[in-house]
Coordinates of all heavy atoms in Angstrom, one line a residue:
S300 N 87.9 -24.8 -65.9 CA 89.2 -25.2 -66.6 C 90.0 -26.1 -65.7 O 90.0 -25.9 -64.4 CB 89.9 -24.1 -67.2 OG 90.5 -23.2 -66.1
A301 N 90.8 -27.0 -66.3 CA 91.7 -27.8 -65.5 C 92.8 -27.0 -64.9 O 93.2 -25.9 -65.4 CB 92.3 -28.9 -66.3
V302 N 93.2 -27.4 -63.6 CA 94.3 -26.7 -62.9 C 95.6 -26.8 -63.8 O 96.0 -28.0 -64.2 CB 94.6 -27.3 -61.6 CG1 95.7 -26.7 -60.9 CG2 93.3 -27.1 -60.6
P303 N 96.3 -25.7 -64.1 CA 97.5 -25.9 -65.1 C 98.6 -26.5 -64.4 O 98.8 -26.5 -63.2 CB 97.7 -24.4 -65.4 CG 97.1 -23.6 -64.3 CD 95.9 -24.4 -63.8
E304 N 99.5 -27.0 -65.2 CA 100.7 -27.7 -64.7 C 101.8 -26.5 -64.3 O 102.6 -26.8 -63.4 CB 101.4 -28.5 -65.7 CG 100.6 -29.9 -66.0 CD 100.7 -30.8 -64.8 OE1 101.7 -30.8 -64.1 OE2 99.8 -31.6 -64.6
E305 N 101.7 -25.5 -64.9 CA 102.7 -24.4 -64.7 C 102.6 -23.9 -63.3 O 101.4 -23.7 -62.6 CB 102.5 -23.3 -65.6 CG 102.7 -23.6 -67.1 CD 101.6 -24.4 -67.8 OE1 100.5 -24.2 -67.2 OE2 101.9 -25.1 -68.8
A306 N 103.7 -23.6 -62.7 CA 103.7 -23.0 -61.3 C 103.4 -21.5 -61.3 O 104.2 -20.7 -61.1 CB 105.2 -23.3 -60.6
S307 N 102.1 -21.3 -61.4 CA 101.6 -19.9 -61.5 C 100.7 -19.7 -60.3 O 99.8 -20.5 -60.0 CB 100.9 -19.7 -62.8 OG 99.8 -20.7 -62.9
L308 N 100.8 -18.6 -59.7 CA 100.0 -18.2 -58.5 C 99.3 -16.8 -58.8 O 99.9 -16.0 -59.5 CB 100.7 -18.3 -57.2 CG 102.0 -17.5 -57.0 CD1 101.5 -16.2 -56.4 CD2 102.9 -18.3 -56.0
L309 N 98.2 -16.6 -58.2 CA 97.4 -15.4 -58.3 C 97.1 -14.8 -56.9 O 96.6 -15.6 -56.0 CB 96.2 -15.7 -59.1 CG 95.1 -14.6 -59.2 CD1 95.7 -13.4 -60.1 CD2 93.9 -15.1 -59.8
C310 N 97.2 -13.4 -56.9 CA 96.6 -12.7 -55.6 C 95.7 -11.6 -56.1 O 96.2 -10.8 -56.9 CB 97.7 -12.2 -54.8 SG 97.3 -11.2 -53.4
V311 N 94.5 -11.6 -55.7 CA 93.5 -10.6 -56.1 C 93.2 -9.8 -54.9 O 92.6 -10.3 -53.9 CB 92.3 -11.2 -56.7 CG1 91.3 -10.1 -57.2 CG2 92.6 -12.0 -57.9
A312 N 93.6 -8.5 -54.8 CA 93.5 -7.8 -53.6 C 93.7 -6.3 -53.8 O 94.3 -5.9 -54.7 CB 94.5 -8.2 -52.5
Q313 N 93.0 -5.5 -53.0 CA 93.4 -4.1 -53.0 C 94.8 -3.9 -52.5 O 95.2 -4.7 -51.6 CB 92.5 -3.3 -52.0 CG 91.1 -3.0 -52.6 CD 90.3 -2.1 -51.5 OE1 89.8 -2.6 -50.6 NE2 90.3 -0.9 -51.9
L314 N 95.5 -3.0 -53.1 CA 96.9 -2.8 -52.7 C 97.0 -1.8 -51.6 O 97.4 -0.7 -51.7 CB 97.7 -2.4 -53.9 CG 97.6 -3.3 -55.1 CD1 98.7 -2.9 -56.2 CD2 98.0 -4.8 -54.7
I315 N 96.6 -2.3 -50.5 CA 96.6 -1.5 -49.2 C 97.3 -2.4 -48.1 O 97.4 -3.6 -48.2 CB 95.3 -1.1 -48.7 CG1 94.3 -2.3 -48.5 CG2 94.6 -0.1 -49.7 CD1 92.9 -2.0 -48.0
K316 N 97.7 -1.9 -47.0 CA 98.4 -2.5 -46.0 C 97.7 -3.8 -45.4 O 98.2 -4.8 -45.2 CB 98.8 -1.6 -44.9 CG 99.7 -2.2 -43.8 CD 100.2 -1.2 -42.8 CE 101.1 -1.8 -41.7 NZ 101.5 -0.8 -40.7
G317 N 96.4 -3.6 -45.2 CA 95.7 -4.7 -44.6 C 95.6 -5.9 -45.4 O 95.4 -7.1 -44.8
K318 N 95.7 -5.8 -46.7 CA 95.7 -7.0 -47.6 C 96.9 -7.9 -47.6 O 97.0 -9.0 -48.2 CB 95.2 -6.7 -48.9 CG 93.8 -6.1 -49.0 CD 92.8 -7.2 -48.6 CE 91.4 -6.7 -48.8 NZ 90.4 -7.7 -48.4
G319 N 98.1 -7.3 -47.0 CA 99.2 -8.2 -46.9 C 100.0 -8.6 -48.0 O 100.7 -9.6 -48.0
V320 N 99.8 -7.9 -49.2 CA 100.6 -8.2 -50.4 C 102.2 -8.1 -50.1 O 102.9 -8.9 -50.7 CB 100.2 -7.4 -51.5 CG1 101.1 -7.7 -52.8 CG2 98.8 -7.6 -51.9
D321 N 102.6 -7.3 -49.1 CA 104.0 -7.2 -48.8 C 104.4 -8.6 -48.1 O 105.6 -9.0 -48.4 CB 104.2 -6.1 -47.8 CG 103.5 -6.1 -46.7 OD1 102.3 -6.4 -46.7 OD2 104.0 -5.8 -45.5
L322 N 103.5 -9.2 -47.4 CA 103.8 -10.5 -46.7 C 104.0 -11.6 -47.8 O 104.9 -12.3 -47.7 CB 102.8 -10.8 -45.7 CG 102.5 -9.8 -44.5 CD1 101.3 -10.3 -43.8 CD2 103.7 -9.7 -43.7
L323 N 103.2 -11.5 -48.8 CA 103.3 -12.4 -49.9 C 104.6 -12.2 -50.6 O 105.3 -13.2 -50.9 CB 102.1 -12.2 -50.9 CG 102.2 -12.9 -52.3 CD1 102.3 -14.5 -52.0 CD2 101.0 -12.5 -53.2
L324 N 105.0 -11.0 -50.9 CA 106.2 -10.8 -51.6 C 107.5 -11.4 -50.8 O 108.3 -11.9 -51.4 CB 106.4 -9.3 -51.9 CG 105.5 -8.7 -52.9 CD1 105.7 -7.2 -52.9 CD2 105.5 -9.3 -54.2
K325 N 107.4 -11.1 -49.5 CA 108.5 -11.6 -48.6 C 108.5 -13.2 -48.6 O 109.5 -13.8 -48.5 CB 108.4 -11.0 -47.3 CG 108.6 -9.5 -47.2 CD 108.3 -8.9 -45.9 CE 108.5 -7.5 -45.9 NZ 108.1 -6.7 -44.7
A326 N 107.3 -13.7 -48.7 CA 107.3 -15.2 -48.7 C 107.8 -15.8 -50.1 O 108.5 -16.7 -50.1 CB 105.8 -15.7 -48.5
L327 N 107.5 -15.1 -51.1 CA 107.9 -15.5 -52.5 C 109.5 -15.4 -52.5 O 110.0 -16.3 -53.2 CB 107.3 -14.6 -53.5 CG 105.8 -14.7 -53.8 CD1 105.4 -13.6 -54.8 CD2 105.4 -16.1 -54.2
K328 N 110.0 -14.5 -51.9 CA 111.5 -14.5 -51.9 C 112.1 -15.8 -51.3 O 113.3 -16.1 -51.6 CB 111.9 -13.2 -51.0 CG 113.4 -12.9 -51.0 CD 114.1 -12.8 -52.3 CE 115.5 -12.5 -52.2 NZ 116.2 -12.4 -53.5
K329 N 111.5 -16.3 -50.4 CA 112.0 -17.5 -49.7 C 111.8 -18.8 -50.5 O 112.3 -19.9 -50.1 CB 111.3 -17.6 -48.3 CG 111.7 -16.5 -47.3 CD 111.0 -16.6 -46.0 CE 111.4 -15.5 -45.1 NZ 112.8 -15.6 -44.7
M330 N 111.0 -18.8 -51.5 CA 110.7 -20.0 -52.3 C 111.9 -20.5 -53.1 O 112.6 -19.7 -53.7 CB 109.5 -19.8 -53.1 CG 108.2 -19.8 -52.3 SD 106.7 -19.4 -53.3 CE 106.7 -20.6 -54.5
T331 N 112.1 -21.8 -53.2 CA 113.2 -22.3 -54.1 C 112.8 -22.9 -55.4 O 113.6 -23.1 -56.3 CB 113.8 -23.5 -53.2 OG1 112.9 -24.5 -53.0 CG2 114.4 -23.0 -51.9
C332 N 111.4 -23.1 -55.6 CA 110.9 -23.5 -56.9 C 110.7 -22.4 -57.8 O 110.6 -21.2 -57.4 CB 109.7 -24.4 -56.8 SG 108.3 -23.4 -56.3

């Protein structure tokens, strides 16, 4: 399917420390869009 215009992002990962989802959340906090 075509890449959507909406600003949507996806992370598929086990929710364990090594997968770094906490790092993603902290990065999302810094976004302005």
Side-chain angles (χ1 to χ4, degrees):
S300 60
V302 175
E304 290 289 330
E305 294 77 22
S307 54
L308 58 90
L309 172 68
C310 176
V311 181
Q313 282 185 279
L314 302 187
I315 57 177
K316 185 175 181 179
K318 291 298 183 179
V320 177
D321 59 318
L322 301 175
L323 169 61
L324 295 174
K325 292 171 183 177
L327 292 174
K328 178 64 176 177
K329 295 178 177 294
M330 290 174 56
T331 59
C332 71

